[in-house]
Amino acid sequence: MKLQSLFITPVFTTEVSGHEKLIDKIYDIKNKDEKGMPRSNIGGWHSHDEIYKDSDFTNVVGDILFNANECFKHLDVKPNYVPEITGLWAMVNCPGSRNNVHTHPYNYLSGVYYLKVPKKSGNLVFLEPKPQAEVLSPPKKENSSVYTAHSVSWEPKENSLIFFPSWLQHEVLTNNSNDDRVILSFNINWRKEDANN
């Protein structure tokens, strides 16, 4: 029997290194703004979402955009449309903190870059995007395929960079380590590179 998979949910992962110094920079930002911007975070700290304008983040923004462009190629985006950062923020999830289920509205791709990831500091979990899919579902095998699962848990590691559709519901599980997890999260849209095309 031939299986034809339709309407995929694209998730891209890669690794990028060389940005470890940003951890100290993020703590500096946190020390100047302890309150931060509460969003989906429960117990953690969330910076303002325009740190991409800070020159200390120029190189990591370049790496994110380079890899986002690779995602665009796989997603059949016309070559004269390029990725554009619409938001970049830092998060420090202390022990016991987590992030509620959420999406990133009015964006095309979203993602996370992991700078500091202690073991057991909370997996990223993607939830079934098809409405009503769980209303009637047979018992699944213990090691069922990610293609038929209703949620997929992804264990991050340091220097991991992940991209996913902004509409995809996701959450971050509780940090059960004894140390902070430090990440950069971002949103991406597109812009036309050459107005004459």
Side-chain angles (χ1 to χ4, degrees), residues 25-36 45:
K25 174 65 179 179
I26 288 167
Y27 278 107
D28 286 343
I29 296 171
K30 182 178 183 291
N31 289 336
K32 293 172 185 171
D33 180 20
E34 283 288 341
K35 185 178 179 184
W45 175 82

Side-chain angles (χ1 to χ4, degrees), residues 53-125:
K53 296 179 179 179
D54 185 322
S55 61
D56 287 326
F57 293 88
T58 299
N59 288 339
V60 74
V61 166
D63 282 341
I64 290 168
L65 289 174
F66 173 83
N67 285 285
N69 199 52
E70 293 300 302
C71 297
F72 274 29
K73 291 174 186 175
H74 286 288
L75 295 168
D76 295 328
V77 177
K78 286 185 175 181
N80 58 324
Y81 287 83
V82 296
E84 178 176 56
I85 293 268
T86 59
L88 175 73
W89 57 95
M91 295 190 70
V92 177
N93 273 24
C94 55
S97 63
R98 62 184 176 84
N99 291 77
N100 280 335
V101 175
H102 63 287
T103 61
H104 297 227
Y106 307 109
N107 292 284
Y108 181 55
L109 291 177
S110 296
V112 187
Y113 178 50
Y114 292 89
L115 288 162
K116 180 181 175 185
V117 188
K119 287 191 179 297
K120 299 183 181 178
S121 60
N123 284 4
L124 175 61
V125 178

